[in-house]
Amino acid sequence: MEIWVTVKNAAGDVQGGGPITTATNWFQEKRLDEPGQFSFDMPASDERWRLIQPFYTVECYTILDGAVVQLGGGIVESVDEEIGMPSMIRVSG
C-alpha cells in the first residue's frame, strides 16, 4: 500500500512543498477518553525528515478504492533516529 505524509507547521502551512513519500509504515491508536498515539518510520537517507519538528502536525494518506483516504494524523512529540542498516527515523506523537 502506498502512503504519503504531509507535514504542517503551527499555522497549518504544508512544509517542503509536498508530501513525504518514503514513509514505510503508519501506526495509529485512537482512544475515546484520552489522546491516541501515532508513529511512522522513514529512511534517514531522505533529508525531508528534517522538515518534521515537535508540535508540527503530520497527516497520513493512501488511496483506497480509487479515492484518497486519510489514515490518521497527529501532533509530533518526538523525532528519533534508529541506527541500523538502513538507519530509520521514527516520528511519533
Side-chain angles (χ1 to χ4, degrees):
M1 172 187 315
E2 178 185 357
I3 62 173
W4 63 93
V5 178
T6 60
V7 180
K8 297 180 180 178
N9 65 13
D13 299 322
V14 174
Q15 301 297 290
I20 293 171
T21 58
T22 58
T24 59
N25 58 47
W26 179 268
F27 168 78
Q28 181 93 35
E29 179 182 35
K30 297 181 181 180
R31 299 180 183 159
L32 294 176
D33 56 347
E34 60 186 278
Q37 298 177 326
F38 75 89
S39 66
F40 72 92
D41 300 317
M42 64 182 291
S45 60
D46 182 348
E47 291 292 320
R48 295 175 58 81
W49 73 264
R50 297 181 192 281
L51 298 171
I52 306 166
Q53 301 293 320
F55 305 109
Y56 278 21
T57 300
V58 292
E59 299 170 345
C60 182
Y61 297 90
T62 192
I63 296 178
L64 290 175
D65 298 326
V68 175
V69 176
Q70 184 176 357
L71 295 177
I75 298 172
V76 174
E77 292 179 2
S78 66
V79 180
D80 300 305
E81 184 172 5
E82 297 181 4
I83 304 299
M85 291 305 267
S87 292
M88 300 293 283
I89 301 297
R90 160 90 24 113
V91 179
S92 60

